[in-house]
Amino acid sequence: MQKTINIQNKKARFQYEILDKYTAGIVLTGTEIKSIRNSKASIAESFCEFNDRGELFVVNMTVEEYAFGNYYNHKPKATRKLLLNKRELKKLEKEVKNTGLTIIPLRLFINDKGLAKLDIALARGKKLYDKRETIKDRDNKRNLDRIKKIYK
């Protein structure tokens, strides 16, 4: 009955070097989860940050207002709390503060139990020459696949 929801941040792998991945739960209201189940969400320009109490929040994640929502509808660009183990939170916070890394969301999905989850990654920003190298590798792979297809 339920279709699979898989909202991805396509620019993340191009702009960042992924170091470590985690799966986090999200604290949502009723209209937010309904919009996500209708695939009305975007994590393209979002990032994660810690508050002063050591809690992790996703910032700039867009969840469109629910079409059939009324007075109790949510704000589209609200910050939403992420749920991780205390050990994982401390490790991430230490990495972000000491080495200047960034936490970015990679994928928003609904698991088997019907709960919204967010795959986040500890990442380092790529330099311009790294991005050029990524483009070059992608073009070379595409050309090689074309040549293989011709000679099969």
Side-chain angles (χ1 to χ4, degrees):
M1 179 180 146
Q2 179 180 341
K3 64 178 184 174
T4 58
I5 306 300
N6 191 13
I7 300 165
Q8 295 192 355
N9 188 353
K10 294 179 182 177
K11 289 185 179 180
R13 295 190 191 279
F14 180 71
Q15 292 178 343
Y16 296 95
E17 175 187 347
I18 307 300
L19 302 176
D20 206 2
K21 291 183 186 177
Y22 297 94
T23 301
I26 313 172
V27 177
L28 297 171
T29 62
T31 55
E32 287 174 330
I33 189 67
K34 288 181 178 188
S35 290
I36 290 173
R37 286 189 180 135
N38 289 334
S39 296
K40 303 285 185 190
S42 172
I43 55 172
E45 295 136 9
S46 58
F47 60 96
C48 301
E49 67 181 6
F50 285 93
N51 67 356
D52 54 344
R53 293 177 14 194
E55 298 170 333
L56 187 62
F57 288 87
V58 62
V59 180
N60 225 6
M61 180 174 121
T62 306
V63 178
E64 291 182 21
E65 287 187 352
Y66 184 56
F68 303 108
N70 52 12
Y71 178 77
Y72 298 106
N73 226 339
H74 63 277
K75 295 178 187 168
K77 288 236 180 211
T79 59
R80 293 164 178 92
K81 186 176 178 179
L82 296 179
L83 305 171
L84 285 168
N85 293 336
K86 200 177 282 190
R87 179 176 17 96
E88 292 172 337
L89 285 171
K90 285 182 181 178
K91 181 181 176 190
L92 281 172
E93 190 171 17
K94 186 179 84 173
E95 289 286 333
V96 168
K97 285 192 175 165
N98 293 344
T99 59
L101 299 176
T102 308
I103 302 171
I104 54 168
L106 297 176
R107 184 171 74 113
L108 176 65
F109 64 98
I110 305 282
N111 69 357
D112 297 336
K113 294 181 180 179
L115 302 174
K117 300 286 183 177
L118 190 67
D119 280 342
I120 58 173
L122 192 62
R124 180 182 299 123
K126 283 186 181 179
K127 304 287 184 203
L128 183 61
Y129 56 84
D130 290 334
K131 291 179 186 178
R132 288 184 186 141
E133 191 174 313
T134 304
I135 293 170
K136 188 173 75 174
D137 290 343
R138 194 178 336 151
D139 289 343
N140 287 339
K141 184 180 181 309
R142 190 177 305 129
N143 290 335
L144 206 105
D145 288 344
R146 279 190 197 134
I147 292 169
K148 284 182 182 178
K149 188 177 180 181
I150 291 171
Y151 290 110
K152 273 193 171 182

